[in-house]
């Protein structure tokens, strides 16, 4: 019996040793590959924001400037928005910002409050020497930051064009549960990268309409390995309730043109999605809602339509 227990113990220790060894190999490989990939595939320009590196992409030369702001957890905002940016750049200057924790930008531990994020956006635009007022074009959670920006710095925002954005009052209905900071271990140990290698055929629908090149799809998968579960993204997720609470029952300023694209999938899954967006409207003459067929990442499949309707809206309502 004692001999059998010793054998079992040795087998168990051996299995644990193999697992620990594999985790160490995964972590080392992941962090080396991340450095190599970030240096090799870097897109856009790196700017200094509060002593940290933030990545930005600027295209187009129009008189008006559109600033594209990504949703929570979008691993590579520059890649994610590229088809839409290309379609808008014929008429406008277009800026894509990769806030901290996204794309090629640094990861930071500072609080991801709306105030901090908006301050970083303003600093980035100043570093790029691009003057306002700006047309903000947020996706998802960035709708909260854009509203905060417009309310607190009204002279710097001349319109907001929303892509299925979050609304302040949605957390009145359903508050977010916090993510554990321990989830950063999935990133540190390269577990996300391991999963993408083990399941290479998993398709999130990004290239359903062939807007993205093979290289761009590859870039998105690499960035997912770098950024999923990093501390900046987790901290941002855990600030959603507080950031939305600050704007409970606030409407858009009644002199601010608003175009809000809503996803049919979002409306089907949440019957209050349309009413929540209607609550934000203070002036229906210049604040419009446009429903498009598709999922939450509308720009993956509707870049042509979004660009066309946005151009018509800008020419009509923004002088």
């Amino acid at each position: 019996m004692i001999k059998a227990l010793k054998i079992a113990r040795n087998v168990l220790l051996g299995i644990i040793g193999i697992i620990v060894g594999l985790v160490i190999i995964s972590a080392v490989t992941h962090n080396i590959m991340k450095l190599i990939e970030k240096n090799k595939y870097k897109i856009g320009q790196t700017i200094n924001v509060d002593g940290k590196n933030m990545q930005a992409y600027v295209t187009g030369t129009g008189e008006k400037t559109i600033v594209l702001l990504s949703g929570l957890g979008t691993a590579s905002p520059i890649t994610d928005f590229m088809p839409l940016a290309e379609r808008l750049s014929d008429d406008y200057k277009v800026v894509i910002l990769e806030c901290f924790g996204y794309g090629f930008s640094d990861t930071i531990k500072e609080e991801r409050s709306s105030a901090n994020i908006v301050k970083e956006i303003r600093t980035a635009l100043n570093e790029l020497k691009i003057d306002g007022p700006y047309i903000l074009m947020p996706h998802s959670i960035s709708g909260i930051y854009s509203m905060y920006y417009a309310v607190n710095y009204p002279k710097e925002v001349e319109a907001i064009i929303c892509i299925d954005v979050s609304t302040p009052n949605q957390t009145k209905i359903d508050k977010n549960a916090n993510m554990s900071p321990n989830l950063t271990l999935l990133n540190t140990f390269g577990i996300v990268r391991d999963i993408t290698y083990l399941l290479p055929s998993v398709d999130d629908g990004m290239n359903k309409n062939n807007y993205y090149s093979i290289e761009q799809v590859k870039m998105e998968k690499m960035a997912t390995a770098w950024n999923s579960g990093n501390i900046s993204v987790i901290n941002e997720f855990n600030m959603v309730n507080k950031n939305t609470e600050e704007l409970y029952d606030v409407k858009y300023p009644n002199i601010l043109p608003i175009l809000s694209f809503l996803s049919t999938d979002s409306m089907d899954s949440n019957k209050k999605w349309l009413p929540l967006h209607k609550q934000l409207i203070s002036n229906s003459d210049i604040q419009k809602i446009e429903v498009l067929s598709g999922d939450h990442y509308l720009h993956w499949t509707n870049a042509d339509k979004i660009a066309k309707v946005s151009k018509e809206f800008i020419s009509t309502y923004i002088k």
Side-chain angles (χ1 to χ4, degrees):
M1 181 65 178
I2 295 175
K3 184 177 180 181
L5 289 174
K6 286 183 178 179
I7 293 173
R9 183 195 63 184
N10 291 337
V11 169
L12 180 60
L13 290 174
I15 292 171
I16 293 172
I18 291 170
I19 292 172
V20 170
L22 289 173
V23 169
I24 291 172
I25 292 170
S26 174
V28 172
T29 301
H30 166 61
N31 285 284
I32 291 173
M33 290 298 296
K34 180 165 67 172
L35 290 174
I36 293 171
E37 290 165 351
K38 283 195 169 187
N39 287 325
K40 182 177 180 180
Y41 295 102
K42 185 170 287 188
I43 311 167
Q45 56 186 295
T46 305
I47 54 178
N48 184 292
V49 175
D50 297 334
K52 299 289 186 178
N53 292 325
M54 182 180 287
Q55 202 70 6
Y57 180 85
V58 182
T59 184
T61 56
E63 291 183 3
K64 294 189 178 298
T65 300
I66 295 176
V67 181
L68 287 158
L69 301 169
S70 70
L72 178 56
T74 299
S76 177
I78 291 175
T79 303
D80 185 77
F81 280 132
M82 191 65 75
L84 180 56
E86 289 172 348
R87 287 157 175 77
L88 293 169
S89 64
D90 291 341
D91 298 277
Y92 315 107
K93 179 176 288 184
V94 181
V95 181
I96 306 173
L97 293 179
E98 295 191 323
C99 292
F100 293 127
Y102 294 87
F104 296 93
S105 296
D106 286 348
T107 299
I108 64 172
K109 295 182 179 179
E110 282 79 357
E111 185 180 68
R112 307 313 293 143
S113 64
S114 292
N116 283 347
I117 290 171
V118 168
K119 177 174 72 72
E120 291 157 9
I121 291 168
R122 296 177 71 227
T123 301
L125 292 168
N126 183 61
E127 285 291 318
L128 291 167
K129 296 181 170 38
I130 299 175
D131 296 326
Y134 313 104
I135 299 169
L136 302 180
M137 200 166 192
H139 172 234
S140 197
I141 193 62
S142 285
I144 301 299
Y145 313 141
S146 296
M147 177 177 270
Y148 183 96
Y149 196 151
V151 169
N152 288 278
Y153 306 97
K155 292 182 179 179
E156 296 180 21
V157 181
E158 62 177 342
I160 305 177
I161 299 176
C162 307
I163 304 174
D164 212 43
V165 296
S166 305
T167 71
N169 286 359
Q170 72 187 65
T171 59
K172 277 188 174 182
I173 301 166
D174 186 16
K175 288 196 179 297
N176 280 11
N178 282 349
M179 293 176 68
S180 169
N182 293 329
L183 289 173
T184 58
L185 295 176
L186 295 176
N187 184 290
T188 302
F189 293 140
I191 304 302
V192 176
R193 183 184 294 273
D194 297 338
I195 292 171
T196 60
Y197 277 111
L198 290 171
L199 302 171
S201 62
V202 172
D203 181 10
D204 55 12
M206 179 181 186
N207 207 22
K208 190 181 296 182
N209 281 11
N210 296 314
Y211 284 153
Y212 298 88
S213 67
I214 293 173
E215 290 74 20
Q216 287 171 332
V217 173
K218 178 181 178 182
M219 179 71 252
E220 190 267 344
K221 288 186 180 296
M222 283 190 293
T224 298
W226 308 335
N227 295 321
S228 292
N230 70 47
I231 192 62
S232 296
V233 172
I234 289 176
N235 286 346
E236 184 181 1
F237 186 92
N238 290 342
M239 284 294 296
V240 168
N241 292 332
K242 183 177 179 181
N243 287 336
T244 52
E245 286 169 10
E246 289 179 345
L247 295 169
Y248 275 176
D249 299 321
V250 173
K251 296 181 182 292
Y252 292 119
N254 63 8
I255 60 171
L256 186 67
I258 302 290
L259 174 60
S260 187
F261 292 103
L262 296 188
S263 149
T264 53
D265 284 12
S266 295
M267 290 170 57
D268 288 343
S269 62
N270 181 356
K271 299 305 179 185
K272 295 185 179 180
W273 196 239
L274 178 58
L276 281 167
H277 284 82
K278 286 183 175 180
Q279 288 173 10
L280 303 178
I281 292 175
S282 60
N283 182 353
S284 59
D285 290 338
I286 60 172
Q287 297 173 356
K288 309 294 182 181
I289 291 174
E290 180 89 13
V291 177
L292 297 180
S293 178
D295 65 18
H296 183 52
Y297 278 75
L298 277 172
H299 49 288
W300 285 1
T301 53
N302 289 272
D304 291 308
K305 182 71 172 179
I306 291 172
K308 179 178 182 293
V309 175
S310 295
K311 290 177 183 181
E312 292 170 352
F313 180 82
I314 292 169
S315 65
T316 302
Y317 297 104
I318 308 171
K319 307 302 180 185

